């Protein structure tokens, strides 16, 4: 079965740019709130770095490469997860403490949730990039390659944490959020894998419809 051609994208109209503008405002507000008195300023900077990198890039590329509404919503949710984790540090997020105490867990699970999101959201991002810039639309390789990309990113992130530990020593503990688990790195990558697989399983059809609408110039 031959791959479908790359989807052309028309210039976004006012209706299709309204939601991204609102979501960008939500992200900016969330980051601003999280910057107010964080538990550890260095950890906040490390966790929110991806927002400061990604949001301006999306804005600069928007006229030439607008994103689907689904991807915009997912990226916003991921940004808020990062901002919240950066403010409290992942091991100390109050919502995670409540889950730990309610279900008698051994650790605050917010870090695990963050790594699930690290697979769940980038899976759709990678899928959208591959569908729109490569011959992989309709290919059976699309989903496996998206999952592999998410695992690669997760592995790179773990290496960044390793570098932070080497450079910062005990000062990097808040960023690592291992909470004494010697298998934390493996759990992080496994959570990213699960997140990517679940995301592609649940959202691929919705994503395809939005990609088609985006190519047709429909809101």
């Amino acid at each position: 079965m031959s791959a479908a051609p790359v989807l052309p994208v028309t210039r976004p109209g006012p209706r299709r740019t309204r939601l991204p503008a609102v979501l960008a405002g939500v992200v900016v507000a969330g980051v601003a709130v999280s910057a107010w008195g964080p538990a550890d300023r260095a950890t906040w900077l490390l966790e929110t770095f991806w927002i400061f990198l990604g949001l301006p890039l999306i804005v600069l590329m928007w006229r030439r490469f607008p994103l689907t509404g689904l991807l915009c919503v997912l990226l916003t949710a991921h940004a808020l997860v990062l901002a919240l984790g950066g403010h409290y540090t992942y091991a100390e997020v109050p919502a995670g403490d409540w889950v730990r105490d309610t279900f008698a867990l051994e650790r605050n699970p917010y870090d695990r949730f963050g790594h699930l999101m690290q697979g769940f959201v980038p899976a759709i991002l990678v899928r959208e990039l591959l569908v729109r810039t490569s011959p992989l639309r309709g290919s059976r390789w699309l989903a496996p390659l998206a999952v592999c990309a998410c695992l690669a990113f997760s592995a790179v992130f773990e290496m960044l944490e390793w570098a932070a530990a080497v450079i910062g020593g005990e000062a990097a503990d808040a960023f690592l959020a291992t909470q004494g688990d010697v298998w934390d790195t493996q759990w992080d990558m496994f959570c990213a894998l699960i997140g990517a697989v679940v995301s592609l399983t649940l959202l691929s059809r919705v994503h395809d419809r939005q990609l088609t609408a985006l190519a047709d110039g429909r809101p």
Side-chain angles (χ1 to χ4, degrees), residues 50-83:
W50 305 104
I51 305 173
F52 291 112
L53 176 66
L55 183 57
L57 182 61
I58 292 171
V59 172
L60 289 173
M61 295 289 293
W62 187 261
R63 289 183 64 84
R64 288 193 297 138
F65 201 89
L67 305 178
T68 59
L70 173 63
L71 181 55
C72 289
V73 169
L74 291 175
L75 289 172
T76 299
H78 198 185
L80 295 178
V81 169
L82 292 173

Side-chain angles (χ1 to χ4, degrees), residues 89-91 107 111-112 161 172-180 184:
T89 77
Y90 275 74
R107 55 176 284 156
D111 179 57
R112 301 283 191 243
E161 288 189 341
D173 287 350
F175 177 57
L176 297 177
T178 60
Q179 300 183 66
D184 185 71

Side-chain angles (χ1 to χ4, degrees), residues 156-177:
V156 169
F157 191 83
E158 295 304 320
M159 286 189 281
L160 291 175
E161 288 189 341
W162 166 61
V166 172
I167 296 171
E170 292 184 2
D173 287 350
F175 177 57
L176 297 177

Side-chain angles (χ1 to χ4, degrees), residues 104-122:
L105 303 178
E106 294 183 356
R107 55 176 284 156
N108 184 315
Y110 191 81
D111 179 57
R112 301 283 191 243
F113 173 68
H115 283 278
L116 280 170
M117 290 292 286
Q118 193 181 77
F120 194 91
V121 176

Side-chain angles (χ1 to χ4, degrees), residues 70-71 74 120-128 199-200 203 207:
L70 173 63
L71 181 55
L74 291 175
F120 194 91
V121 176
I124 299 301
L125 172 61
V126 171
R127 189 178 192 274
E128 184 152 327
S199 178
L200 293 172
L203 301 178
H207 193 215

